[in-house]
């Protein structure tokens, strides 16, 4: 984990939410293919690398990619997710990014509703019915949100 690529929400010193993002060629999670193979062995490691390759996302110029968000089950519906999204937006603004991009799966309509409330709009849906049995979802929607900044020159290229 690259902890400098996450924003966190704490309540009384306890972690109640986390959002990861990609910037500067690094993401919250990372590591080399060799590290995956070392950790899981060649057979299980190759399987994981193939699945991970399906989700490899690189930011376009001027974009910050939000990799994921997690909120403690007991804290959902209390504004923690909105707070995390706004903190990611602040990071994007600091880096002069023009937009934030994220993906949401079809089996998580609550997350999609949150993203829409926070200014994201759907730009594309990729239907992946072959993944439903393997990963539990059959479509991924890419969403964008503009960031009010000075330009986009310092964000990922």
């Amino acid at each position: 984990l690259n902890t400098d690529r996450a924003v966190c929400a704490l309540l009384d010193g306890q972690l109640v939410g986390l959002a990861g993002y990609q910037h500067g060629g690094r993401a919250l999670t990372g590591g080399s293919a060799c590290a995956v193979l070392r950790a899981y062995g060649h057979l299980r490691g190759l399987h994981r690398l193939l699945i991970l390759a399906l989700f490899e996302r690189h930011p376009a110029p001027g974009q910050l990619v939000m990799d994921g968000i997690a909120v403690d089950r007991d804290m959902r519906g209390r504004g923690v997710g909105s707070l995390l999204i706004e903190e990611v937006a602040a990071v994007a603004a600091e880096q002069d990014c023009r937009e934030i991009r994220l993906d949401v799966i079809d089996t998580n309509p609550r997350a999609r509703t949150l993203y829409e409330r926070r200014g994201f709009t759907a730009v594309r849906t990729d239907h992946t019915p072959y993944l439903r049995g393997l990963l539990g979802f059959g479509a991924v929607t890419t969403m964008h949100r503009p960031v009010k900044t000075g330009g986009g020159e310092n964000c990922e290229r």
Side-chain angles (χ1 to χ4, degrees):
L1 291 177
N2 298 310
T3 57
D4 63 333
R5 294 299 185 258
V7 295
C8 300
L10 301 173
L11 178 64
D12 297 328
Q14 296 287 81
L15 181 68
V16 295
L18 174 115
Y21 61 90
Q22 287 186 38
H23 178 65
R26 290 172 20 113
L28 174 61
T29 59
S32 67
C34 290
V36 172
L37 294 175
R38 240 187 340 269
Y40 294 101
H42 286 285
L43 187 57
R44 292 184 331 168
L46 285 173
H47 180 255
R48 283 172 171 76
L49 287 172
L50 289 172
I51 292 172
L52 289 172
L54 293 172
F55 301 103
E56 187 67 27
R57 299 170 295 164
H58 298 284
Q63 279 186 338
L64 182 136
V65 173
M66 194 167 114
D67 279 334
I69 186 169
V71 175
D72 182 276
R73 186 175 309 279
D74 295 336
M75 294 300 296
R76 292 179 188 162
R78 296 183 182 187
V80 175
S82 292
L83 175 69
L84 291 168
I85 289 169
E86 294 312 314
E87 285 299 312
V88 170
V91 170
E94 288 171 6
Q95 299 302 320
D96 288 329
C97 295
R98 288 186 303 271
E99 71 181 1
I100 302 168
R101 186 180 91 217
L102 60 79
D103 293 321
V104 61
I105 57 176
D106 62 344
T107 57
N108 197 351
R110 188 171 180 174
R112 181 170 175 160
T113 298
L114 169 65
Y115 301 145
E116 289 170 342
R117 276 197 327 265
R118 301 311 313 165
F120 286 87
T121 56
V123 296
R124 179 181 78 245
T125 298
D126 295 317
H127 296 278
T128 55
Y130 54 90
L131 292 178
R132 189 168 300 282
L134 180 63
L135 299 175
F137 60 88
V140 177
T141 299
T142 298
M143 303 182 84
H144 290 176
R145 173 183 159 169
V147 175
K148 295 177 180 122
T149 67
E153 294 80 21
N154 296 327
C155 201
E156 296 234 11
R157 299 186 199 298

